[in-house]
Amino acid sequence: MEINNSTIVITGGGQGLGRSMAEDFARSNARLALIDMNAESLTEAGNACRELGAAQVQTYVANVTDESAVEQTFEQIVADFGAINVLINNAGILRDGLLIKFKDGELTQKMPLQQFQSVLDVNLTGSFLCGREAAAHMAKAGNGGVIINISSVARAGNIGQTNYAATKAGVVAMTVTWARELGRYGIRCGAIAPGFIETPMTAQMKPEAIERALSMVPLRRWGQPNEIAHSARYIIENDFFSGRVVEIDGGVRL
Ligand code: NAP
């Protein structure tokens, strides 16, 4: 599929990887529907994409965990653009913590259900809801489409990330399932599993965690958001890519 003139929906499009992908596609004259909860960053990202040459840009303030908001947003996108060609399920959050903590033989902490559930709600349920709505509109239009889920190197399991790792493995399972179910409609599904990429999300990490993380990366540097945008572009443009994960992580293994 060509990026030029395609309608590309990006969740979490206001900052970080979502904004970087939006800007990259804007340079190729894409039509962009950006969804985010943060109205301010969304407006800034939309303006930046217009300046870079996007054919059309609309922004939508919505929470991807809210079923009716997601349904209404996708209806509105189809009304505004006529069709959806690509969805990038990028919105995601971290709420790291150990499953349990013991001190002097005493249980001092358990990961609260809310901490676990909040990450599932955004990363997994949000991707499910947006994927479902995009697939329904794409199948109805009959012109195929592409859905990209953003996973992570943490999908293999990582200390302090019970919730996050579970969601990032989950989105890969959904990717393979959707590739199998939706291929008959000409809809391709792929996933990208980034390693440590320099975004506001990783800026939350403590300095010692950053140092530890970098020491595990064979290339000894952070990935840059445009390197993830490059992978999204590859999945969109390669018409035989489906049901697989592109790993962009500088060779790191957690
Ligand atoms: P980020 O800078 O935190 O950006 C995420 C965006 O998603 C934010 O604009 C955020 O809005 C939005 N968002 C969060 N919850 C939302 C919701 N319920 N509904 C709508 N929008 C929501 O993160 P990032 O680093 O760009 O990460 C993007 C994706 O890549 C995530 O799925 C992340 O797990 C994945 N990833 C990142 C890395 C990395 O190293 N950066 C590595 C592997 C995978 P608010 O600002 O309002 O919260």
Side-chain angles (χ1 to χ4, degrees):
M1 181 183 293
E2 281 200 27
I3 288 171
N4 178 16
N5 222 24
S6 284
T7 297
I8 304 180
V9 181
I10 305 177
T11 69
Q15 67 175 37
L17 300 186
R19 176 163 173 176
S20 173
M21 289 188 270
E23 291 185 1
D24 184 71
F25 303 147
R27 291 187 191 94
S28 295
N29 198 42
R31 301 182 182 280
L32 295 166
L34 307 181
I35 302 174
D36 206 297
M37 288 211 304
N38 185 327
E40 204 177 319
S41 64
L42 198 50
T43 301
E44 272 177 36
N47 289 339
C49 290
R50 283 182 199 99
E51 278 170 30
L52 288 167
Q56 184 180 348
V57 183
Q58 303 279 348
T59 56
Y60 305 86
V61 177
N63 184 338
V64 297
T65 69
D66 178 337
E67 183 174 26
S68 61
V70 171
E71 287 171 341
Q72 281 167 26
T73 301
F74 277 78
E75 290 287 347
Q76 191 58 50
I77 292 171
V78 171
D80 293 342
F81 289 83
I84 296 170
N85 303 113
V86 178
L87 164 68
I88 305 193
N89 262 326
N90 165 79
I93 60 168
L94 287 172
R95 297 288 181 270
D96 290 357
L98 294 172
L99 183 67
I100 53 165
K101 274 189 191 170
F102 264 82
K103 198 171 177 200
D104 303 326
E106 295 290 329
L107 181 69
T108 56
Q109 211 176 305
K110 299 193 283 189
M111 180 185 278
L113 177 59
Q114 165 56 19
Q115 187 175 347
F116 179 76
Q117 191 64 49
S118 59
V119 176
L120 264 71
D121 287 346
V122 179
N123 300 10
L124 197 57
T125 307
S127 297
F128 157 71
L129 290 173
C130 294
R132 185 189 70 184
E133 293 312 299
H137 286 291
M138 287 171 181
K140 190 172 171 200
N143 296 318
V146 179
I147 299 174
I148 300 175
N149 293 323
I150 304 297
S151 178
S152 165
V153 68
R155 76 189 188 284
N158 191 28
I159 289 176
Q161 295 195 315
T162 293
N163 44 11
Y164 188 76
T167 64
K168 294 304 183 181
V171 299
V172 169
M174 292 201 299
T175 303
V176 176
T177 303
W178 295 349
R180 290 182 169 180
E181 287 187 13
L182 303 176
R184 75 189 67 179
Y185 307 108
I187 300 171
R188 297 185 290 109
C189 300
I192 301 172
F196 302 111
I197 313 296
E198 202 170 346
T199 70
M201 180 182 269
T202 40
Q204 302 166 22
M205 288 168 70
K206 295 182 182 132
E208 57 274 21
I210 292 179
E211 207 172 306
R212 202 170 50 242
L214 277 183
S215 71
M216 292 191 285
V217 185
L219 290 180
R220 294 287 185 273
R221 69 167 176 88
W222 295 108
Q224 293 303 310
N226 67 314
E227 291 168 322
I228 302 305
H230 187 267
S231 304
R233 176 177 283 273
Y234 164 75
I235 293 176
I236 294 168
E237 291 179 339
N238 190 322
D239 290 325
F240 203 49
F241 187 96
S242 202
R244 296 288 176 265
V245 186
V246 178
E247 299 175 310
I248 304 293
D249 52 23
V252 71
R253 283 295 167 269
L254 300 179

